[in-house]
Amino acid sequence: MDKLEQLEITAKENNVPIMMKDGIEFLTDLIIERKPKSILELGTAIGYSAIQMARCDQSIEIDTIELDEVRGKQAIQNILDEKLDHRVHVHLMNIDDFITDKKYDLIFIDAAKAQYRRYMEMFKDNLTDNGVFVFDNLCFHGLVDNPALIQSRQTRQLCRKIRDFREWLLNADDYNCDFRKNIGDGVAVVSVKTR
C-alpha cells in the first residue's frame, strides 16, 4: 500500500481533516501547471497535502505550519518516511508567530477557516508577483450554502464567516478569484491584480 493511501486511512480513522480526493488532484494539477518552486502551507495536519505537493516536482521547497504538536510530529515522521525532509520543513508553531521575508509562488491556506482573510492579509507581501493563494473548505461540507442543515450555533457562525470571506473574495477589487464550488470541499485560487 502506498504511503498516501495509508495516510488517507489514518486520517479517516482519527478524524484528521485532509483534502478530498478531487480537491488534492486539483491542487497537484495546478502545481504541475504553474511550476511553483516555493510553497507556504498553513495547516499541516499529518503532512498529507505537503507530501502530495512535494511529489509534484523535485525542486519544490515547502514551509508548512502546524500548531497541534501531536499532528505536527506525525507530519514530521510521515515526511521523513517519504525522504522529503530536505525539502518540506514543518514549523510547529502558531501561524501568527511565523514571520518571514521569504517569497512564495503558492500559499496554500487550510487552517482555521474563520481566519482565512486575516491569514491572506498577513502573508500577501510574501507572495511572488505571479504567485497565487489556494483556499480549501470554502463550502464546508455543503453547509455554507445550506444553513438550514446546521444544528450548532458555533458551526452556523463559522459558516457565516466562510460565506462572508467567499463573497469578499469574489468581489474584491484587488484580487482575481477562481472559485470551484464543485471541486473537493470548495476550492479557490486567488491572485493579486497587477496595477
Side-chain angles (χ1 to χ4, degrees):
M1 185 186 295
D2 179 74
K3 178 70 176 178
L4 292 171
E5 290 174 318
Q6 288 177 337
L7 287 181
E8 287 165 7
I9 292 166
T10 301
K12 192 171 186 178
E13 288 174 349
N14 296 286
N15 291 320
V16 176
I18 60 171
M19 283 189 92
M20 293 168 71
K21 277 222 185 269
D22 59 337
I24 198 75
E25 284 172 13
F26 175 81
L27 178 60
T28 53
D29 286 348
L30 182 76
I31 288 169
I32 290 164
E33 178 192 323
R34 294 188 65 91
K35 298 178 176 45
K37 296 302 174 204
S38 56
I39 296 174
L40 173 63
E41 176 184 45
L42 309 185
T44 315
I46 57 174
Y48 177 76
S49 49
I51 290 168
Q52 290 265 33
M53 291 189 290
R55 280 183 170 191
C56 291
D57 186 326
Q58 293 190 3
S59 63
I60 292 173
E61 292 266 341
I62 300 173
D63 284 313
T64 181
I65 307 168
E66 179 57 48
L67 179 61
D68 185 291
E69 194 171 340
V70 173
R71 286 182 182 170
K73 285 182 176 175
Q74 285 176 322
I76 290 168
Q77 187 58 57
N78 292 330
I79 289 160
L80 193 61
D81 291 346
E82 286 290 289
K83 298 179 174 49
L84 292 169
D85 53 301
H86 62 293
R87 295 194 291 117
V88 181
H89 314 286
V90 179
H91 303 270
L92 284 173
M93 63 194 308
N94 191 310
I95 290 168
D96 291 336
D97 297 329
F98 185 77
I99 296 164
T100 181
D101 55 5
K102 190 172 174 181
K103 295 283 187 177
Y104 298 95
D105 301 312
L106 189 147
I107 299 177
F108 176 47
I109 302 182
D110 191 13
K113 316 306 168 208
Q115 302 299 319
Y116 274 9
R117 183 169 175 180
R118 191 170 67 81
Y119 292 153
M120 187 177 177
E121 295 294 335
M122 196 173 149
F123 292 104
K124 184 173 67 175
D125 292 339
N126 296 99
L127 201 64
T128 57
D129 289 344
N130 296 312
V132 292
F133 286 100
V134 178
F135 296 92
D136 190 28
N137 304 116
L138 292 180
C139 290
F140 202 69
H141 317 294
L143 296 175
V144 173
D145 297 304
N146 296 288
L149 301 175
I150 303 170
Q151 309 265 323
S152 140
R153 182 170 170 248
Q154 188 176 2
T155 305
R156 190 172 293 112
Q157 288 174 332
L158 174 61
C159 287
R160 190 183 71 247
K161 286 177 181 176
I162 295 170
R163 186 169 48 252
D164 290 348
F165 173 68
R166 213 167 72 180
E167 288 303 310
W168 173 76
L169 265 186
L170 290 166
N171 296 295
D173 292 334
D174 297 342
Y175 300 102
N176 293 308
C177 178
D178 178 12
F179 174 44
R180 306 293 183 98
K181 184 185 270 192
N182 298 320
I183 292 178
D185 192 23
V187 177
V189 180
V190 179
S191 59
V192 181
K193 286 183 182 174
T194 51
R195 299 180 193 278

